[in-house]
Amino acid sequence: MSSRRSRSRQSGSSRITEDQIADLVSKLQQLIPEIRNRRSDKQVSASKVLQETCNYIRSLHREVDDLSQRLSELLASSDTDSDQAAIIRSLLM
Amino acid sequence: MDSNNFFHDLHADTSLESSRKKRRKIEAESHSSETEIKWKSESAQRIYAVKLVEALQRTSSQNAPPAPSEAAGGRVVRDVADRVLAMAAKGRTRWSRAILASRLRLTMLRRHRKVKKASGSASRPRKPLPTAVEDRKNRLPAVGNRVKILSRLVPGCKGIPVTNLLEEAGDYIAALQMQVRAMTALTEIISVSQGDRLGSSSSSQA
């Protein structure tokens, strides 16, 4: 493993450039509301962006789980399929 | 005359190069804006919600005899929601393919229980890919750690290079946001329609 590291240090162009990573990190920055809404004049560190990304994904998972639970309860309490499907579809469209 | 030709060729070369660069840039931009359009448009959200309802009603009609317990019902809905979300990605992202593949693997396992699943490809010797370790900035243990955690959160992204991981994460987050919006709207619609149905006999509320 150490040989792999020394090899990469010698090679001039690593396949992943810092610019690419900075580019993608800034793209993530735009998606995460917590970072976007805060004052974004200074650069947020990559580590911070990654941490917020992980937290955000976890919170989104939790929200989906909660919504799934609620949906399953709502659907279980009513059993008229065809009526409900038509209503829902018309309300959605 | 020669100088004219020379300059003409030179101009042609640079214009070709610049148009190539421009095309690459436009592709990159359209790729990222395509991601956003895919998950942020209202029509995509509506289509997802409708497909989700249809899929949910299919599963509820299948499970009708053995009614799932309260806790398991949420899990079922979550699985269906993830599956429909992954299908909306149309196979273009790793996380969506991983979600669908894991469902397929589960159903295959349930049918052929005796098949010994080949263990994961961790043992197979791979070419040294430029994973998180090989970049200067990522040699900071904090960043490397976070990248590892992120790779565990996004489905199907365990051993991929960092650039791909960040791209997948971006798309995955946008998709999850749409999923939350669609399911929230759906919950509201269903609860309102049920409220209307249940309260239709009583006098109308203000």
Side-chain angles (χ1 to χ4, degrees):
Chain A
M1 202 158 309
S2 58
S3 64
R4 208 187 303 161
R5 261 201 216 144
S6 58
R7 212 188 308 142
S8 69
R9 225 177 275 149
Q10 284 169 12
S11 70
S13 58
S14 55
R15 257 174 284 166
I16 310 175
T17 64
E18 289 246 0
D19 285 339
Q20 281 178 295
I21 296 203
D23 200 27
L24 287 168
V25 166
S26 71
K27 196 159 54 121
L28 275 180
Q29 215 172 309
Q30 294 309 308
L31 278 173
I32 305 174
E34 200 174 302
I35 299 187
R36 189 180 49 204
N37 297 340
R38 255 191 280 160
R39 54 191 178 92
S40 54
D41 47 350
K42 67 169 188 165
Q43 278 289 1
V44 188
S45 75
S47 157
K48 182 79 177 164
V49 170
L50 286 174
Q51 183 186 12
E52 290 302 323
T53 309
C54 294
N55 292 344
Y56 189 50
I57 292 184
R58 272 193 223 116
S59 78
L60 284 174
H61 280 169
R62 270 199 304 267
E63 234 182 304
V64 173
D65 277 334
D66 284 341
L67 284 170
S68 307
Q69 188 64 37
R70 279 180 66 189
L71 262 180
S72 77
E73 286 165 15
L74 281 174
L75 289 175
S77 59
S78 75
D79 277 328
T80 55
D81 287 318
S82 55
D83 272 3
Q84 205 169 43
I87 294 176
I88 292 173
R89 212 166 294 138
S90 62
L91 283 172
L92 280 171
M93 286 307 197
Chain B
M1 304 304 136
D2 276 340
S3 60
N4 278 351
N5 287 345
F6 173 74
F7 280 123
H8 181 263
D9 287 349
L10 190 63
H11 177 68
D13 279 347
T14 51
S15 69
L16 184 61
E17 180 59 36
S18 67
S19 69
R20 219 180 281 145
K21 273 196 202 139
K22 234 182 276 172
R23 203 188 326 138
R24 229 179 285 146
K25 191 171 180 212
I26 291 176
E27 278 174 4
E29 283 173 354
S30 70
H31 173 72
S32 62
S33 62
E34 181 189 304
T35 311
E36 300 181 357
I37 290 176
K38 192 164 61 165
W39 299 117
K40 285 201 179 152
S41 70
E42 275 201 30
S43 58
Q45 188 181 321
R46 248 180 280 135
I47 293 177
Y48 172 72
V50 169
K51 287 206 189 294
L52 177 58
V53 171
E54 292 173 351
L56 282 175
Q57 271 160 352
R58 249 179 285 142
T59 32
S60 70
S61 64
Q62 281 171 9
N63 293 350
S69 65
E70 287 270 328
R75 182 73 233 185
V76 168
V77 173
R78 171 82 201 266
D79 285 350
V80 172
D82 283 346
R83 186 163 45 87
V84 181
L85 188 69
M87 296 213 278
K90 299 209 176 82
R92 291 220 199 101
T93 49
R94 193 178 277 261
W95 61 262
S96 58
R97 294 193 292 266
I99 289 183
L100 295 174
S102 72
R103 298 272 179 282
L104 203 63
R105 227 178 287 143
L106 269 175
T107 51
M108 286 302 149
L109 274 180
R110 274 192 215 124
R111 284 183 205 164
H112 313 280
R113 263 176 235 173
K114 292 229 175 121
V115 172
K116 283 197 189 137
K117 189 168 70 140
S119 64
S121 55
S123 50
R124 219 184 301 148
R126 256 195 269 173
K127 259 201 311 190
L129 284 174
T131 50
V133 189
E134 295 207 9
D135 192 358
R136 236 171 299 129
K137 205 195 273 189
N138 296 342
R139 293 228 182 98
L140 289 175
V143 174
N145 220 15
R146 303 254 156 82
V147 170
K148 213 188 306 176
I149 297 179
L150 184 62
S151 71
R152 263 187 264 142
L153 282 175
V154 181
C157 293
K158 278 209 345 207
I160 65 179
V162 182
T163 36
N164 298 8
L165 175 63
L166 294 181
E167 233 179 294
E168 291 284 326
D171 193 75
Y172 187 51
I173 288 182
L176 282 179
Q177 289 170 332
M178 189 201 80
Q179 189 179 35
V180 166
R181 284 197 303 268
M183 288 176 74
T184 310
L186 202 56
T187 318
E188 222 181 285
I189 287 179
I190 296 185
S191 61
V192 161
S193 76
Q194 285 194 359
D196 273 350
R197 222 160 20 92
L198 294 174
S200 60
S201 55
S202 58
S203 56
S204 63
Q205 49 231 8

